[in-house]
Amino acid sequence: MSDAESRIGIDFRDNLFYVARIDHHAARQEIKALLRLEREHLGEHHLLNGGRGILSVPDEMVMVKRVNLNGSDDIDQRVKFEFIQSLPEESSQYLFDVKESGLDGRYLGMAIRRDRLQEYKIKALGDKVELFDEAGHTMRAAALAAGYTEFCRKSGGDLICLADFIGSAASLAFVYQNALIDLCHFPLSKFDPGTSDGFRKMAVELKTLINFRMASLFSDGVTTPLSNLLVSGEGVDDRFLERLREFFSIDVTRPSINPGFFSGQTDLTNVPLEKYLVALGLAAN
């Protein structure tokens, strides 16, 4: 790496692109800029030039598999092999990614169809799609976890759940001792959280999903209780958090990004930092 390598995380949410540009120095990461853009301005902004772009991918497009492996050799190929056994098409039709879990010998494998990824890029980027032909991609929930582990002040307790809401779904990530251990998503289209009954139904099903994932993690040896639910995204205001707390016996609050990662004397007073958490995770190490 030379003086600094720039990465640009681009998260498409609710018809806007939330962008984070991070300079990677030898010993640290520095958040150079956060910006919110409409599609037509994607090719114009200078902060999108001179760095590697990484796009978020909707969680529902990605297959996730928790894999237990012994040893440390050829992990990517071994996880891919585990996936291939259950794929409905040839493995060449898919792109694969592997994240090391916070649990010894356990990994998270992810697979997405190449054609679905390209269709999504065209839908999200429109006539700007060619500008991002060389861009990487990461599942939203995985980027959410990276944004937290890399840039947030740590909440109390060893096991936390992150939930980031966008229009159609919430990305969920479980982090154990500051390391990712599980990913999933929570569809929202059937709920109307603007009504009391709709919010109650949403909260009950969210709690049910979280409890289900916790039971699955327990079978993998994670016996630590969940201590925090960190919530971010669209519509997540103080009232939203207050109502959600009625359904959970754990702390429910927002993730808190550490301002020490920002360059210079950036005024962050009016910036909704938690909405950039996925973009930051996309551009993280």
Side-chain angles (χ1 to χ4, degrees), residues 179-201:
L180 171 66
I181 59 170
D182 198 16
L183 300 167
C184 64
H185 75 283
F186 178 54
L188 295 169
S189 58
K190 65 179 180 179
F191 303 111
D192 180 8
T195 67
S196 295
D197 187 57
F199 190 94
R200 181 188 62 80
K201 290 178 179 178

Side-chain angles (χ1 to χ4, degrees), residues 234-249:
E234 304 309 316
V236 178
D237 55 15
D238 290 343
R239 176 58 178 156
F240 185 98
L241 294 175
E242 180 182 342
R243 295 170 70 191
L244 198 57
R245 290 185 186 111
E246 298 173 8
F247 298 88
F248 289 86
S249 58

Side-chain angles (χ1 to χ4, degrees), residues 32-52:
K32 298 296 291 185
L34 300 176
L35 56 152
R36 188 178 62 181
L37 297 171
E38 295 179 350
R39 179 191 291 168
E40 55 264 33
H41 301 306
L42 280 175
E44 302 170 1
H45 206 288
H46 68 281
L47 288 172
L48 292 175
N49 298 322
R52 172 165 167 73

Side-chain angles (χ1 to χ4, degrees), residues 142-209:
L144 176 65
Y148 173 79
T149 59
E150 295 287 341
F151 300 108
C152 283
R153 296 187 176 102
K154 301 305 172 274
S155 60
D158 281 343
L159 180 60
I160 63 104
C161 176
L162 298 153
D164 184 71
F165 285 74
I166 55 174
S168 60
S171 299
L172 268 65
F174 293 81
V175 174
Y176 176 64
Q177 295 181 347
N178 207 42
L180 171 66
I181 59 170
D182 198 16
L183 300 167
C184 64
H185 75 283
F186 178 54
L188 295 169
S189 58
K190 65 179 180 179
F191 303 111
D192 180 8
T195 67
S196 295
D197 187 57
F199 190 94
R200 181 188 62 80
K201 290 178 179 178
M202 180 202 71
V204 168
E205 289 208 26
L206 176 61
K207 184 175 182 179
T208 299
L209 174 60

Side-chain angles (χ1 to χ4, degrees), residues 90-143:
E90 292 292 326
S91 61
S92 60
Q93 301 299 312
Y94 293 84
L95 293 168
F96 297 90
D97 191 14
V98 179
K99 303 290 185 186
E100 187 173 357
S101 168
L103 305 174
D104 289 343
R106 291 173 171 84
Y107 300 86
L108 290 169
M110 286 160 276
I112 183 171
R113 284 182 57 106
R114 293 176 184 271
D115 57 353
R116 289 201 67 195
L117 176 62
Q118 185 60 24
E119 288 170 3
Y120 170 72
K121 284 184 176 181
I122 293 171
K123 178 182 177 181
L125 300 169
D127 60 358
K128 307 297 182 182
V129 66
E130 293 184 0
L131 299 174
F132 299 93
D133 278 346
E134 303 301 319
H137 68 276
T138 298
M139 180 181 176
R140 283 197 90 254

Side-chain angles (χ1 to χ4, degrees), residues 8-60:
I8 304 162
I10 305 166
D11 181 32
F12 181 49
R13 52 191 306 153
D14 300 299
N15 298 313
L16 290 171
F17 293 86
Y18 283 74
V19 180
R21 185 184 182 101
I22 296 175
D23 280 358
H24 294 261
H25 303 272
R28 63 189 176 92
Q29 301 181 83
E30 184 179 26
I31 302 172
K32 298 296 291 185
L34 300 176
L35 56 152
R36 188 178 62 181
L37 297 171
E38 295 179 350
R39 179 191 291 168
E40 55 264 33
H41 301 306
L42 280 175
E44 302 170 1
H45 206 288
H46 68 281
L47 288 172
L48 292 175
N49 298 322
R52 172 165 167 73
I54 304 97
L55 301 169
S56 65
V57 174
D59 303 307
E60 61 268 23

